Amino acid sequence: QVQLVESGGGLAQPGASLNVSCAGTGVNLRDYYIHWFRQGPGEGRNFIACIDTIDDIGHYKDSVKGRFTVARNNAKNMVYLHMNNLRPEDTAVYRCAAAAAPCWASSFDYWGPGIQVTVSS
């Protein structure tokens, strides 16, 4: 059974850093493009980042470029989203998704349930 599970969310102050992780079971994340999405209060689901399978290049939404970094840990079968200089508008439920299709394609094979990140002083 394939499962993706996010962890590491929580409460952070503006300007702080927080890492969220996506762990895979029953699936080798190394073989998939891993996307991060978020959904803020009253908002739809928004793309944040994607890491490809070829050379682990990350692709980012403009509003998080330079602040967020996506990275793999193949030994642990995990993908991380490192978030720096957090802003209140980063408050959202963050979800990871695994896709066999490239980062530019809107086709996803597996989803995590999501985890809350709240940025507030």
Side-chain angles (χ1 to χ4, degrees):
Q1 182 181 0
V2 174
Q3 272 192 319
L4 300 184
V5 178
E6 300 89 350
S7 62
L11 177 64
Q13 292 191 338
S17 297
L18 198 64
N19 297 326
V20 290
S21 303
C22 177
T25 57
V27 60
N28 188 346
L29 296 187
R30 186 65 186 94
D31 297 331
Y32 289 81
Y33 297 81
I34 304 300
H35 298 246
W36 284 97
F37 291 86
R38 69 185 182 190
Q39 187 166 5
E43 298 179 359
R45 187 179 68 203
N46 290 308
F47 168 82
I48 295 300
C50 178
I51 187 166
D52 69 26
T53 62
I54 300 172
D55 47 14
D56 291 345
I57 289 178
H59 308 273
Y60 303 94
K61 176 185 176 73
D62 284 348
S63 63
V64 306
K65 279 182 183 177
R67 299 190 299 124
F68 290 12
T69 303
V70 59
R72 294 183 186 271
N73 184 328
N74 294 328
K76 294 186 176 181
N77 202 28
M78 297 178 74
V79 174
Y80 305 123
L81 183 66
H82 303 296
M83 303 184 290
N84 298 316
N85 192 20
L86 284 163
R87 304 168 181 170
E89 54 264 38
D90 294 320
T91 295
V93 174
Y94 285 71
R95 296 182 71 185
C96 61
C103 286
W104 51 263
S106 298
S107 174
F108 310 102
D109 297 278
Y110 309 108
W111 287 89
I115 193 163
Q116 179 69 43
V117 171
T118 302
V119 183
S120 174
S121 55

